Amino acid sequence: MEAYRHAGIRLPRTTYGMLASHKLVRVRHPRRGDLAFYGTGHVELFKRWGYTYGAHDSGTTVGLVHYGYGWKPTAFYRVR
């Protein structure tokens, strides 16, 4: 949400608000900067296959995250 806000795009604060937004389109082949949604209601920014930018715990600094088996995005969305 903050990364897009810096780019002048306002998105809802919650995961469910984002999913209900008309600004998002689901994509099968994400590009850098697309949103990576996890089944748990968590959202991160997609970097490339296997990597996102995010923070998995409250109070943790946002950084590069390597995802894999057991913890990987379930859907990708692009902001229009």
Side-chain angles (χ1 to χ4, degrees):
M1 181 183 79
E2 278 300 310
Y4 277 99
R5 184 174 299 181
H6 284 289
I9 299 169
R10 299 255 180 213
L11 292 175
R13 186 185 66 78
T14 66
T15 300
Y16 303 104
M18 286 183 193
L19 289 171
S21 172
H22 67 280
K23 294 181 181 181
L24 299 185
V25 175
R26 190 167 183 167
V27 295
R28 293 184 68 202
H29 303 287
R31 294 186 297 210
R32 178 181 250 166
D34 286 344
L35 298 172
F37 285 78
Y38 292 80
T40 61
H42 185 72
V43 183
E44 295 181 349
L45 282 175
F46 181 80
K47 179 175 181 180
R48 65 177 189 262
W49 289 110
Y51 293 92
T52 56
Y53 290 107
H56 287 241
D57 299 306
S58 179
T60 303
T61 303
V62 172
L64 187 62
V65 176
H66 178 70
Y67 64 84
Y69 181 76
W71 180 255
K72 60 184 176 181
T74 54
F76 299 97
Y77 286 82
R78 184 163 297 141
V79 177
R80 302 180 197 214

